[in-house]
């Protein structure tokens, strides 16, 4: 599941954007939607990786049993989406470069798996070094 999110993060970076990717999977493990942060590409601050994956999944009758995989610990905005719609499971690629709200989600019943994957850490570390102005414009300023 994290592999799909990583593909999306790499796609975002190749487009000149922020390398954060996500994917939403159904209770059966099937891919429902995938996406990446498009804040730069679309000049839209609301298009984070998780929101893009969620939108790509389309309307679901229920999100019970679904899993959101994301390359970076989710910010408050994306954590709110996960909680609001009752996404059951969260796979976090890394929380080294940004300590998002995965612990808050865990306290509110979301099953969180934190991987601190070296590829996810490296992707964000390299991006933050090369494009600090983009990082600190949004999530890095949090």
């Amino acid at each position: 599941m994290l592999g799909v999110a990583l593909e999306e993060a790499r796609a975002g970076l190749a487009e000149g954007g922020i390398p954060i990717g996500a994917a939403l999977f159904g209770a059966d493990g099937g891919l429902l939607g995938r996406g990446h942060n498009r804040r730069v590409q679309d000049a839209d601050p609301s298009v984070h990786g998780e929101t893009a994956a969620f939108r790509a999944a389309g309307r679901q009758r229920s999100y019970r049993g679904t899993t959101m995989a994301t390359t970076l610990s989710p910010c408050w905005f994306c954590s709110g989406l996960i909680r609001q719609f009752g996404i059951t499971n969260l796979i976090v690629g890394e929380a080294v470069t940004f300590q998002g709200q995965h612990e808050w989600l865990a306290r509110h019943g979301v099953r969180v798996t934190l991987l601190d994957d070296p590829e996810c850490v490296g992707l964000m570390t390299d991006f933050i070094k090369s494009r600090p102005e983009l990082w600190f414009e949004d999530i890095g300023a949090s």
Side-chain angles (χ1 to χ4, degrees), residues 101-124:
Q101 301 308 318
H102 64 274
E103 291 176 354
W104 176 80
L105 286 166
R107 287 193 305 272
H108 287 88
V110 177
R111 188 176 321 128
V112 175
T113 303
L114 176 59
L115 300 176
D116 280 335
D117 177 80
E119 187 172 355
C120 291
V121 174
L123 193 62
M124 284 309 302

Side-chain angles (χ1 to χ4, degrees), residues 41-66:
Q41 299 91 312
D42 295 350
D44 181 347
S46 71
V47 187
H48 290 201
E50 297 88 343
T51 61
F54 182 78
R55 289 174 181 157
R59 183 176 172 211
Q60 306 294 312
R61 290 185 59 88
S62 172
Y63 294 89
R64 185 170 297 126
T66 60

Side-chain angles (χ1 to χ4, degrees), residues 19-59:
I20 303 170
L24 183 63
F25 295 88
D28 64 357
L31 179 64
L32 298 174
R34 58 191 292 164
H36 53 271
N37 186 300
R38 296 192 51 83
R39 182 173 61 81
V40 174
Q41 299 91 312
D42 295 350
D44 181 347
S46 71
V47 187
H48 290 201
E50 297 88 343
T51 61
F54 182 78
R55 289 174 181 157
R59 183 176 172 211

Side-chain angles (χ1 to χ4, degrees), residues 3 11-12 18-20 33 49-50 57 89 94 98 102 106 110 113 123 131 139 142:
I18 300 169
I20 303 170
E50 297 88 343
N89 306 294
E94 69 106 342
F98 177 74
H102 64 274
V110 177
T113 303
L123 193 62
R131 300 296 308 270
I139 197 167
S142 299

